[in-house]
Amino acid sequence: MAPPQLAVIGNSAIAALIDDKARVLWTCWPRIDSDPLFSALLGGADPQRGLMSVELDGMVATRQAYERNTAVLTTLMTAADGSAIRVTDFAPRFKQYDRIFRPPMLMRRIEPVAGNPRIRVLMRPTFAYGRLDGTVVPGSNHVRYVSEAGSVRLTSDIPVAYLSAEAKFAPTKPVTLIVHADETFPSSIEEVWWSFLRQTRQYWLDWARYLSVPYEWQEAVIRAAITLKLCSCEETGAVVAALTTSIPESPRSGRNWDYRFCWLRDAYFTVHALNKLGATLTMERFLDYVRTVIATETGPRLKPVYAIVPEHSLDEWIADALPGFNGDGPVRIGNAAAEQAQHDVAGSLILAASHMFYDCRLPKMGDATLFHELEALGETAAAMAFEPDAGIWEYRGRKAIHTHSAAMCFAACDRLAKIAHKLALSQRETYWQAHASRIRETILARAWNEKEGLFASRFDGSGADASTLLLVELGVVEPTDQRFVRTVETLQRRLTRSGFLMRYDENDDFGAPETSFNICSFWLADALVAIGRRDEARALFEALLARRNHVGLLSEDIDPVTGELWGNFPQTYSMVGIIVTAMRLSREWIH
């Protein structure tokens, strides 16, 4: 059974995953990497706790959609007798007192829209990663849910007797539920609902208005951009890989990972995509985050992944109280990849920061001070380019000199040379260009496998790896280089399953992967554009768009047999792919 149809609401502080039956199944509280207040997504085959839901008597159909260009979600639920309700969900986000107001708060409105519907409202939060339930403490216009690990409050104009008893009732007018910190709600519920909805809606409409979208596929790109914004933690500048943990990459595979953290590599791709759209503030905040990472790192090297608060530990452990999605565990909290050596990290950061030196829209552009800070990262890249590491796919059982890692080290040195040229630092330009040339020549000599007809996954190897599709993007080879053209063709032949691309064709710590990794298919489309096969790229891109769920979102993986989405959700890599590939393929604007 594949993961349910899910939509996301949020405000760049918290986020909630809501299925097409208007059940809130996942919300970490009070931040997107915290203990899940609603944990039913990982609560087994038929979870009865860790959720907030609205049950409509006799429900036979639902229809869910976002309000256009916003993160406001509506779900229309219809019963067999023709009665119906509309559920509207959002998390407040708007400008107030010269700053963004984004509290840990979920707002829900239930409106009767036809007949005489009968509903039951359930609020069953969990604490301590599913270990504890909240004790129900009714108040005057609220219900508190209290445990030794924390508490939360539901304020509502629904009679408290119905809420605390989970009793059915017939709403004759719209009713509102507000999940918030366990403190007194000092304002009118009705007035706050309309004020927060109006301002939040307007915030997203204004934000979308200034995106530099392509001519084609605008709706898909705008939805992807909003989703990426929801996967950022604005407070620190971190961008998480996904909003969930431990949704398996494929059934019963054990490939269950916690993605609620900031992979420096992934965050670069996100920043790159948003910057293409003109959403530069996320890039600036991410670079602030990176500077904090660099300043607070006490180890010998930068880690590939950090918590939203960089000093926090990512030690990996199993949450035994949560059985996993559909019982498919384990549920991992933290991520041991933080302790791996991945030598592409410095390149990712330099590529992200390089925008600061070229983008004239920024209020403060990159200067010699920032350049010299980046040079320390470049020295690491130059020294580690040909050292074995775990690679982009974070192999846990082996190390090698991975082609992609070496290519990112090249990119680090190459971009520093280009930045030095822009800053008229000729000696530093010469220095970094020498390092870039040395690394590039070694990649071309040791990664190319003439017999197999591809740049291999690792030096002196023969494995096919989708990350080598980035060699043109990184500047290692030209798109006209026949070695790259042959690599694209070989990867298509060896890695394609039912039209979509796998990551690699060698066994890893868990055996052979069973699902295609969505970003790899986007990389293939981009590579096909680069070598002049645009029609083929468009067909692949359209096929990927067709795999989005009912509200336009993608997870990490696609089952090549069933077409079902698997893996953590929503996956920032996948949403980045939509943006970047759409902008490459789109026709020019018609004037």
Side-chain angles (χ1 to χ4, degrees), residues 126-146:
T126 57
F127 301 87
Y129 283 94
R131 186 168 56 84
L132 302 172
D133 294 300
T135 300
V136 178
V137 183
S140 55
N141 294 100
H142 68 268
V143 180
R144 300 176 63 228
Y145 300 86
V146 182

mmCIF file with all atom_site columns, all heavy atoms in Angstrom, residues 126-146:
data_model
loop_
_atom_site.group_PDB
_atom_site.id
_atom_site.type_symbol
_atom_site.label_atom_id
_atom_site.label_alt_id
_atom_site.label_comp_id
_atom_site.label_asym_id
_atom_site.label_entity_id
_atom_site.label_seq_id
_atom_site.pdbx_PDB_ins_code
_atom_site.Cartn_x
_atom_site.Cartn_y
_atom_site.Cartn_z
_atom_site.occupancy
_atom_site.B_iso_or_equiv
_atom_site.pdbx_formal_charge
_atom_site.auth_seq_id
_atom_site.auth_comp_id
_atom_site.auth_asym_id
_atom_site.auth_atom_id
_atom_site.pdbx_PDB_model_num
ATOM 1   N N   . THR A 1 126 ? -0.029  13.053 19.933 1.00 0.00 ? 126 THR A N   1
ATOM 2   C CA  . THR A 1 126 ? 0.917   12.195 20.650 1.00 0.00 ? 126 THR A CA  1
ATOM 3   C C   . THR A 1 126 ? 2.159   13.015 20.990 1.00 0.00 ? 126 THR A C   1
ATOM 4   O O   . THR A 1 126 ? 2.403   14.074 20.409 1.00 0.00 ? 126 THR A O   1
ATOM 5   C CB  . THR A 1 126 ? 1.328   10.974 19.822 1.00 0.00 ? 126 THR A CB  1
ATOM 6   O OG1 . THR A 1 126 ? 1.895   11.415 18.579 1.00 0.00 ? 126 THR A OG1 1
ATOM 7   C CG2 . THR A 1 126 ? 0.136   10.071 19.558 1.00 0.00 ? 126 THR A CG2 1
ATOM 8   N N   . PHE A 1 127 ? 2.932   12.494 21.924 1.00 0.00 ? 127 PHE A N   1
ATOM 9   C CA  . PHE A 1 127 ? 4.146   13.167 22.360 1.00 0.00 ? 127 PHE A CA  1
ATOM 10  C C   . PHE A 1 127 ? 5.258   12.133 22.493 1.00 0.00 ? 127 PHE A C   1
ATOM 11  O O   . PHE A 1 127 ? 4.998   10.931 22.550 1.00 0.00 ? 127 PHE A O   1
ATOM 12  C CB  . PHE A 1 127 ? 3.918   13.869 23.710 1.00 0.00 ? 127 PHE A CB  1
ATOM 13  C CG  . PHE A 1 127 ? 2.815   14.895 23.677 1.00 0.00 ? 127 PHE A CG  1
ATOM 14  C CD1 . PHE A 1 127 ? 1.491   14.525 23.905 1.00 0.00 ? 127 PHE A CD1 1
ATOM 15  C CD2 . PHE A 1 127 ? 3.093   16.232 23.420 1.00 0.00 ? 127 PHE A CD2 1
ATOM 16  C CE1 . PHE A 1 127 ? 0.463   15.458 23.885 1.00 0.00 ? 127 PHE A CE1 1
ATOM 17  C CE2 . PHE A 1 127 ? 2.065   17.171 23.384 1.00 0.00 ? 127 PHE A CE2 1
ATOM 18  C CZ  . PHE A 1 127 ? 0.755   16.782 23.615 1.00 0.00 ? 127 PHE A CZ  1
ATOM 19  N N   . ALA A 1 128 ? 6.502   12.624 22.542 1.00 0.00 ? 128 ALA A N   1
ATOM 20  C CA  . ALA A 1 128 ? 7.672   11.750 22.723 1.00 0.00 ? 128 ALA A CA  1
ATOM 21  C C   . ALA A 1 128 ? 7.719   10.673 21.636 1.00 0.00 ? 128 ALA A C   1
ATOM 22  O O   . ALA A 1 128 ? 7.884   9.498  21.917 1.00 0.00 ? 128 ALA A O   1
ATOM 23  C CB  . ALA A 1 128 ? 7.670   11.127 24.114 1.00 0.00 ? 128 ALA A CB  1
ATOM 24  N N   . TYR A 1 129 ? 7.566   11.095 20.398 1.00 0.00 ? 129 TYR A N   1
ATOM 25  C CA  . TYR A 1 129 ? 7.607   10.201 19.237 1.00 0.00 ? 129 TYR A CA  1
ATOM 26  C C   . TYR A 1 129 ? 6.672   8.999  19.410 1.00 0.00 ? 129 TYR A C   1
ATOM 27  O O   . TYR A 1 129 ? 7.067   7.855  19.252 1.00 0.00 ? 129 TYR A O   1
ATOM 28  C CB  . TYR A 1 129 ? 9.042   9.772  18.945 1.00 0.00 ? 129 TYR A CB  1
ATOM 29  C CG  . TYR A 1 129 ? 9.819   10.875 18.264 1.00 0.00 ? 129 TYR A CG  1
ATOM 30  C CD1 . TYR A 1 129 ? 10.594  11.757 19.002 1.00 0.00 ? 129 TYR A CD1 1
ATOM 31  C CD2 . TYR A 1 129 ? 9.734   11.060 16.886 1.00 0.00 ? 129 TYR A CD2 1
ATOM 32  C CE1 . TYR A 1 129 ? 11.271  12.804 18.380 1.00 0.00 ? 129 TYR A CE1 1
ATOM 33  C CE2 . TYR A 1 129 ? 10.408  12.099 16.264 1.00 0.00 ? 129 TYR A CE2 1
ATOM 34  C CZ  . TYR A 1 129 ? 11.178  12.974 17.014 1.00 0.00 ? 129 TYR A CZ  1
ATOM 35  O OH  . TYR A 1 129 ? 11.830  14.003 16.389 1.00 0.00 ? 129 TYR A OH  1
ATOM 36  N N   . GLY A 1 130 ? 5.418   9.332  19.716 1.00 0.00 ? 130 GLY A N   1
ATOM 37  C CA  . GLY A 1 130 ? 4.369   8.322  19.778 1.00 0.00 ? 130 GLY A CA  1
ATOM 38  C C   . GLY A 1 130 ? 4.293   7.557  21.077 1.00 0.00 ? 130 GLY A C   1
ATOM 39  O O   . GLY A 1 130 ? 3.417   6.706  21.243 1.00 0.00 ? 130 GLY A O   1
ATOM 40  N N   . ARG A 1 131 ? 5.169   7.852  22.023 1.00 0.00 ? 131 ARG A N   1
ATOM 41  C CA  . ARG A 1 131 ? 5.192   7.080  23.269 1.00 0.00 ? 131 ARG A CA  1
ATOM 42  C C   . ARG A 1 131 ? 4.069   7.492  24.213 1.00 0.00 ? 131 ARG A C   1
ATOM 43  O O   . ARG A 1 131 ? 3.564   6.664  24.979 1.00 0.00 ? 131 ARG A O   1
ATOM 44  C CB  . ARG A 1 131 ? 6.551   7.255  23.952 1.00 0.00 ? 131 ARG A CB  1
ATOM 45  C CG  . ARG A 1 131 ? 6.769   6.389  25.178 1.00 0.00 ? 131 ARG A CG  1
ATOM 46  C CD  . ARG A 1 131 ? 8.216   6.396  25.614 1.00 0.00 ? 131 ARG A CD  1
ATOM 47  N NE  . ARG A 1 131 ? 8.715   7.743  25.855 1.00 0.00 ? 131 ARG A NE  1
ATOM 48  C CZ  . ARG A 1 131 ? 8.547   8.400  27.013 1.00 0.00 ? 131 ARG A CZ  1
ATOM 49  N NH1 . ARG A 1 131 ? 7.881   7.842  28.018 1.00 0.00 ? 131 ARG A NH1 1
ATOM 50  N NH2 . ARG A 1 131 ? 9.034   9.622  27.159 1.00 0.00 ? 131 ARG A NH2 1
ATOM 51  N N   . LEU A 1 132 ? 3.637   8.759  24.144 1.00 0.00 ? 132 LEU A N   1
ATOM 52  C CA  . LEU A 1 132 ? 2.663   9.277  25.094 1.00 0.00 ? 132 LEU A CA  1
ATOM 53  C C   . LEU A 1 132 ? 1.457   9.867  24.371 1.00 0.00 ? 132 LEU A C   1
ATOM 54  O O   . LEU A 1 132 ? 1.580   10.440 23.289 1.00 0.00 ? 132 LEU A O   1
ATOM 55  C CB  . LEU A 1 132 ? 3.289   10.369 25.974 1.00 0.00 ? 132 LEU A CB  1
ATOM 56  C CG  . LEU A 1 132 ? 4.518   9.988  26.793 1.00 0.00 ? 132 LEU A CG  1
ATOM 57  C CD1 . LEU A 1 132 ? 5.106   11.225 27.442 1.00 0.00 ? 132 LEU A CD1 1
ATOM 58  C CD2 . LEU A 1 132 ? 4.163   8.933  27.831 1.00 0.00 ? 132 LEU A CD2 1
ATOM 59  N N   . ASP A 1 133 ? 0.287   9.709  24.984 1.00 0.00 ? 133 ASP A N   1
ATOM 60  C CA  . ASP A 1 133 ? -0.919  10.404 24.545 1.00 0.00 ? 133 ASP A CA  1
ATOM 61  C C   . ASP A 1 133 ? -1.150  11.611 25.446 1.00 0.00 ? 133 ASP A C   1
ATOM 62  O O   . ASP A 1 133 ? -0.709  11.629 26.608 1.00 0.00 ? 133 ASP A O   1
ATOM 63  C CB  . ASP A 1 133 ? -2.133  9.484  24.612 1.00 0.00 ? 133 ASP A CB  1
ATOM 64  C CG  . ASP A 1 133 ? -2.037  8.332  23.630 1.00 0.00 ? 133 ASP A CG  1
ATOM 65  O OD1 . ASP A 1 133 ? -1.949  8.608  22.423 1.00 0.00 ? 133 ASP A OD1 1
ATOM 66  O OD2 . ASP A 1 133 ? -2.040  7.167  24.072 1.00 0.00 ? 133 ASP A OD2 1
ATOM 67  N N   . GLY A 1 134 ? -1.874  12.590 24.929 1.00 0.00 ? 134 GLY A N   1
ATOM 68  C CA  . GLY A 1 134 ? -2.197  13.749 25.746 1.00 0.00 ? 134 GLY A CA  1
ATOM 69  C C   . GLY A 1 134 ? -3.436  13.495 26.590 1.00 0.00 ? 134 GLY A C   1
ATOM 70  O O   . GLY A 1 134 ? -4.457  13.020 26.088 1.00 0.00 ? 134 GLY A O   1
ATOM 71  N N   . THR A 1 135 ? -3.352  13.814 27.867 1.00 0.00 ? 135 THR A N   1
ATOM 72  C CA  . THR A 1 135 ? -4.533  13.763 28.729 1.00 0.00 ? 135 THR A CA  1
ATOM 73  C C   . THR A 1 135 ? -5.455  14.919 28.372 1.00 0.00 ? 135 THR A C   1
ATOM 74  O O   . THR A 1 135 ? -5.023  16.072 28.276 1.00 0.00 ? 135 THR A O   1
ATOM 75  C CB  . THR A 1 135 ? -4.125  13.860 30.209 1.00 0.00 ? 135 THR A CB  1
ATOM 76  O OG1 . THR A 1 135 ? -3.275  12.765 30.529 1.00 0.00 ? 135 THR A OG1 1
ATOM 77  C CG2 . THR A 1 135 ? -5.347  13.849 31.116 1.00 0.00 ? 135 THR A CG2 1
ATOM 78  N N   . VAL A 1 136 ? -6.731  14.629 28.172 1.00 0.00 ? 136 VAL A N   1
ATOM 79  C CA  . VAL A 1 136 ? -7.698  15.639 27.762 1.00 0.00 ? 136 VAL A CA  1
ATOM 80  C C   . VAL A 1 136 ? -8.138  16.450 28.974 1.00 0.00 ? 136 VAL A C   1
ATOM 81  O O   . VAL A 1 136 ? -8.660  15.902 29.956 1.00 0.00 ? 136 VAL A O   1
ATOM 82  C CB  . VAL A 1 136 ? -8.917  14.985 27.086 1.00 0.00 ? 136 VAL A CB  1
ATOM 83  C CG1 . VAL A 1 136 ? -9.949  16.042 26.704 1.00 0.00 ? 136 VAL A CG1 1
ATOM 84  C CG2 . VAL A 1 136 ? -8.471  14.209 25.848 1.00 0.00 ? 136 VAL A CG2 1
ATOM 85  N N   . VAL A 1 137 ? -7.943  17.775 28.908 1.00 0.00 ? 137 VAL A N   1
ATOM 86  C CA  . VAL A 1 137 ? -8.343  18.675 29.995 1.00 0.00 ? 137 VAL A CA  1
ATOM 87  C C   . VAL A 1 137 ? -9.253  19.745 29.394 1.00 0.00 ? 137 VAL A C   1
ATOM 88  O O   . VAL A 1 137 ? -8.777  20.708 28.800 1.00 0.00 ? 137 VAL A O   1
ATOM 89  C CB  . VAL A 1 137 ? -7.125  19.324 30.676 1.00 0.00 ? 137 VAL A CB  1
ATOM 90  C CG1 . VAL A 1 137 ? -7.576  20.202 31.839 1.00 0.00 ? 137 VAL A CG1 1
ATOM 91  C CG2 . VAL A 1 137 ? -6.136  18.266 31.153 1.00 0.00 ? 137 VAL A CG2 1
ATOM 92  N N   . PRO A 1 138 ? -10.589 19.589 29.523 1.00 0.00 ? 138 PRO A N   1
ATOM 93  C CA  . PRO A 1 138 ? -11.510 20.573 28.941 1.00 0.00 ? 138 PRO A CA  1
ATOM 94  C C   . PRO A 1 138 ? -11.446 21.915 29.664 1.00 0.00 ? 138 PRO A C   1
ATOM 95  O O   . PRO A 1 138 ? -11.233 21.981 30.876 1.00 0.00 ? 138 PRO A O   1
ATOM 96  C CB  . PRO A 1 138 ? -12.890 19.919 29.123 1.00 0.00 ? 138 PRO A CB  1
ATOM 97  C CG  . PRO A 1 138 ? -12.619 18.480 29.401 1.00 0.00 ? 138 PRO A CG  1
ATOM 98  C CD  . PRO A 1 138 ? -11.317 18.454 30.119 1.00 0.00 ? 138 PRO A CD  1
ATOM 99  N N   . GLY A 1 139 ? -11.618 22.989 28.873 1.00 0.00 ? 139 GLY A N   1
ATOM 100 C CA  . GLY A 1 139 ? -11.728 24.328 29.430 1.00 0.00 ? 139 GLY A CA  1
ATOM 101 C C   . GLY A 1 139 ? -13.019 24.966 28.992 1.00 0.00 ? 139 GLY A C   1
ATOM 102 O O   . GLY A 1 139 ? -13.968 24.273 28.600 1.00 0.00 ? 139 GLY A O   1
ATOM 103 N N   . SER A 1 140 ? -13.068 26.287 29.004 1.00 0.00 ? 140 SER A N   1
ATOM 104 C CA  . SER A 1 140 ? -14.306 26.976 28.644 1.00 0.00 ? 140 SER A CA  1
ATOM 105 C C   . SER A 1 140 ? -14.547 26.963 27.140 1.00 0.00 ? 140 SER A C   1
ATOM 106 O O   . SER A 1 140 ? -15.605 26.540 26.669 1.00 0.00 ? 140 SER A O   1
ATOM 107 C CB  . SER A 1 140 ? -14.280 28.415 29.170 1.00 0.00 ? 140 SER A CB  1
ATOM 108 O OG  . SER A 1 140 ? -13.115 29.073 28.704 1.00 0.00 ? 140 SER A OG  1
ATOM 109 N N   . ASN A 1 141 ? -13.550 27.428 26.372 1.00 0.00 ? 141 ASN A N   1
ATOM 110 C CA  . ASN A 1 141 ? -13.642 27.412 24.917 1.00 0.00 ? 141 ASN A CA  1
ATOM 111 C C   . ASN A 1 141 ? -12.436 26.721 24.303 1.00 0.00 ? 141 ASN A C   1
ATOM 112 O O   . ASN A 1 141 ? -12.032 27.019 23.177 1.00 0.00 ? 141 ASN A O   1
ATOM 113 C CB  . ASN A 1 141 ? -13.738 28.841 24.367 1.00 0.00 ? 141 ASN A CB  1
ATOM 114 C CG  . ASN A 1 141 ? -15.026 29.530 24.773 1.00 0.00 ? 141 ASN A CG  1
ATOM 115 O OD1 . ASN A 1 141 ? -15.023 30.326 25.703 1.00 0.00 ? 141 ASN A OD1 1
ATOM 116 N ND2 . ASN A 1 141 ? -16.109 29.212 24.080 1.00 0.00 ? 141 ASN A ND2 1
ATOM 117 N N   . HIS A 1 142 ? -11.866 25.806 25.061 1.00 0.00 ? 142 HIS A N   1
ATOM 118 C CA  . HIS A 1 142 ? -10.674 25.120 24.579 1.00 0.00 ? 142 HIS A CA  1
ATOM 119 C C   . HIS A 1 142 ? -10.562 23.755 25.232 1.00 0.00 ? 142 HIS A C   1
ATOM 120 O O   . HIS A 1 142 ? -11.242 23.452 26.216 1.00 0.00 ? 142 HIS A O   1
ATOM 121 C CB  . HIS A 1 142 ? -9.419  25.947 24.883 1.00 0.00 ? 142 HIS A CB  1
ATOM 122 C CG  . HIS A 1 142 ? -9.116  26.039 26.343 1.00 0.00 ? 142 HIS A CG  1
ATOM 123 N ND1 . HIS A 1 142 ? -9.575  27.073 27.137 1.00 0.00 ? 142 HIS A ND1 1
ATOM 124 C CD2 . HIS A 1 142 ? -8.413  25.211 27.173 1.00 0.00 ? 142 HIS A CD2 1
ATOM 125 C CE1 . HIS A 1 142 ? -9.167  26.888 28.379 1.00 0.00 ? 142 HIS A CE1 1
ATOM 126 N NE2 . HIS A 1 142 ? -8.462  25.767 28.435 1.00 0.00 ? 142 HIS A NE2 1
ATOM 127 N N   . VAL A 1 143 ? -9.682  22.943 24.655 1.00 0.00 ? 143 VAL A N   1
ATOM 128 C CA  . VAL A 1 143 ? -9.303  21.660 25.247 1.00 0.00 ? 143 VAL A CA  1
ATOM 129 C C   . VAL A 1 143 ? -7.784  21.619 25.286 1.00 0.00 ? 143 VAL A C   1
ATOM 130 O O   . VAL A 1 143 ? -7.134  21.890 24.271 1.00 0.00 ? 143 VAL A O   1
ATOM 131 C CB  . VAL A 1 143 ? -9.847  20.462 24.448 1.00 0.00 ? 143 VAL A CB  1
ATOM 132 C CG1 . VAL A 1 143 ? -9.428  19.153 25.116 1.00 0.00 ? 143 VAL A CG1 1
ATOM 133 C CG2 . VAL A 1 143 ? -11.358 20.535 24.318 1.00 0.00 ? 143 VAL A CG2 1
ATOM 134 N N   . ARG A 1 144 ? -7.232  21.285 26.452 1.00 0.00 ? 144 ARG A N   1
ATOM 135 C CA  . ARG A 1 144 ? -5.794  21.113 26.582 1.00 0.00 ? 144 ARG A CA  1
ATOM 136 C C   . ARG A 1 144 ? -5.467  19.630 26.476 1.00 0.00 ? 144 ARG A C   1
ATOM 137 O O   . ARG A 1 144 ? -6.226  18.774 26.950 1.00 0.00 ? 144 ARG A O   1
ATOM 138 C CB  . ARG A 1 144 ? -5.301  21.667 27.919 1.00 0.00 ? 144 ARG A CB  1
ATOM 139 C CG  . ARG A 1 144 ? -5.565  23.144 28.113 1.00 0.00 ? 144 ARG A CG  1
ATOM 140 C CD  . ARG A 1 144 ? -5.128  23.591 29.506 1.00 0.00 ? 144 ARG A CD  1
ATOM 141 N NE  . ARG A 1 144 ? -3.686  23.434 29.691 1.00 0.00 ? 144 ARG A NE  1
ATOM 142 C CZ  . ARG A 1 144 ? -3.130  22.861 30.764 1.00 0.00 ? 144 ARG A CZ  1
ATOM 143 N NH1 . ARG A 1 144 ? -3.897  22.346 31.726 1.00 0.00 ? 144 ARG A NH1 1
ATOM 144 N NH2 . ARG A 1 144 ? -1.807  22.768 30.862 1.00 0.00 ? 144 ARG A NH2 1
ATOM 145 N N   . TYR A 1 145 ? -4.324  19.333 25.855 1.00 0.00 ? 145 TYR A N   1
ATOM 146 C CA  . TYR A 1 145 ? -3.830  17.959 25.758 1.00 0.00 ? 145 TYR A CA  1
ATOM 147 C C   . TYR A 1 145 ? -2.455  17.961 26.418 1.00 0.00 ? 145 TYR A C   1
ATOM 148 O O   . TYR A 1 145 ? -1.505  18.551 25.905 1.00 0.00 ? 145 TYR A O   1
ATOM 149 C CB  . TYR A 1 145 ? -3.761  17.522 24.295 1.00 0.00 ? 145 TYR A CB  1
ATOM 150 C CG  . TYR A 1 145 ? -5.117  17.587 23.625 1.00 0.00 ? 145 TYR A CG  1
ATOM 151 C CD1 . TYR A 1 145 ? -5.571  18.779 23.062 1.00 0.00 ? 145 TYR A CD1 1
ATOM 152 C CD2 . TYR A 1 145 ? -5.951  16.478 23.580 1.00 0.00 ? 145 TYR A CD2 1
ATOM 153 C CE1 . TYR A 1 145 ? -6.820  18.857 22.463 1.00 0.00 ? 145 TYR A CE1 1
ATOM 154 C CE2 . TYR A 1 145 ? -7.200  16.546 22.973 1.00 0.00 ? 145 TYR A CE2 1
ATOM 155 C CZ  . TYR A 1 145 ? -7.628  17.733 22.430 1.00 0.00 ? 145 TYR A CZ  1
ATOM 156 O OH  . TYR A 1 145 ? -8.869  17.815 21.835 1.00 0.00 ? 145 TYR A OH  1
ATOM 157 N N   . VAL A 1 146 ? -2.372  17.291 27.557 1.00 0.00 ? 146 VAL A N   1
ATOM 158 C CA  . VAL A 1 146 ? -1.222  17.449 28.439 1.00 0.00 ? 146 VAL A CA  1
ATOM 159 C C   . VAL A 1 146 ? -0.520  16.107 28.627 1.00 0.00 ? 146 VAL A C   1
ATOM 160 O O   . VAL A 1 146 ? -1.161  15.064 28.825 1.00 0.00 ? 146 VAL A O   1
ATOM 161 C CB  . VAL A 1 146 ? -1.668  18.001 29.816 1.00 0.00 ? 146 VAL A CB  1
ATOM 162 C CG1 . VAL A 1 146 ? -0.464  18.207 30.730 1.00 0.00 ? 146 VAL A CG1 1
ATOM 163 C CG2 . VAL A 1 146 ? -2.437  19.310 29.643 1.00 0.00 ? 146 VAL A CG2 1
#
